[in-house]
């Protein structure tokens, strides 16, 4: 099973995706392919759009069966908006895969404890998305 975690808050975003779906043999597994495509798109786009000079930390690690990306302390509104949109895309895609293949993908969403940013953008937008999802 693939275990995916998305954490957000205080202008920081963390994603960790590890495991193998086990839906089909290696090279034929559509669940793994879908998750890999989403995480690769997130990383490649973030590399282009994150202003690293205005970020406390930006890094990613990709190994066989494990992907982790951290963007900590974003200090400019342009990067906040772009990264928030990317994480919403990742979340929506993973939720779709999880709903179709629940025994092959588990997704958890966590809030990073709020330590006081000046605009609350990430928390507000992700919470709005969550509320719309319920309705």
């Amino acid at each position: 099973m693939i275990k995916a975690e998305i954490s957000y808050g205080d202008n920081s975003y963390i994603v960790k995706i590890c495991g193998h779906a086990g839906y089909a043999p290696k090279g034929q597994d559509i669940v793994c392919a879908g998750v890999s495509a989403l995480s690769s798109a997130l990383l490649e786009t973030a590399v282009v759009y994150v202003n690293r000079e205005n970020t406390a930390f930006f890094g990613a690690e990709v190994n066989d069966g494990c992907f982790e990306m951290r963007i900590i302390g974003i200090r400019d509104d342009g990067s906040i908006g772009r990264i928030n949109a990317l994480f919403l895309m990742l979340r929506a895609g993973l939720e779709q895969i999880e709903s179709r293949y629940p025994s092959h993908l588990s997704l958890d969403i966590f809030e990073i404890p709020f330590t006081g940013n000046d605009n609350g953008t990430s928390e507000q937008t992700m919470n709005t998305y969550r509320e719309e999802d319920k309705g």
Side-chain angles (χ1 to χ4, degrees):
M1 172 177 284
I2 297 172
K3 294 190 183 274
E5 296 176 351
I6 299 174
S7 304
Y8 65 93
D10 203 22
N11 292 340
S12 298
Y13 299 82
I14 301 168
V15 62
K16 185 173 183 177
I17 303 171
C18 290
H20 293 283
Y23 180 76
K26 189 174 183 178
Q28 300 174 14
D29 196 317
I30 61 172
V31 177
C32 280
V35 172
S36 293
L38 288 168
S39 59
S40 294
L42 173 72
L43 176 59
E44 295 302 319
T45 308
V47 166
V48 172
Y49 286 113
V50 171
N51 182 344
R52 293 179 192 192
E53 294 174 3
N54 289 320
T55 303
F57 178 82
F58 174 53
E61 187 173 335
V62 181
N63 295 312
D64 184 39
C66 200
F67 169 84
E68 186 170 354
M69 187 171 87
R70 295 173 179 267
I71 305 171
I72 308 296
I74 303 169
R75 296 182 291 268
D76 69 292
D77 289 339
S79 289
I80 292 169
R82 290 181 193 115
I83 296 306
N84 196 41
L86 290 173
F87 271 77
L88 288 172
M89 177 274 309
L90 176 69
R91 177 182 176 163
L94 292 175
E95 285 176 339
Q96 289 296 310
I97 295 170
E98 181 186 40
S99 71
R100 180 112 189 243
Y101 304 98
S103 60
H104 302 281
L105 173 64
S106 171
L107 173 63
D108 290 311
I109 309 294
F110 302 100
E111 285 188 50
I112 298 170
F114 183 73
T115 60
N117 61 28
D118 60 350
N119 62 15
T121 304
S122 59
E123 296 84 2
Q124 187 176 30
T125 305
M126 290 293 279
N127 287 333
T128 299
Y129 178 80
R130 218 179 318 165
E131 290 303 315
E132 290 173 356
D133 216 23
K134 293 178 185 175

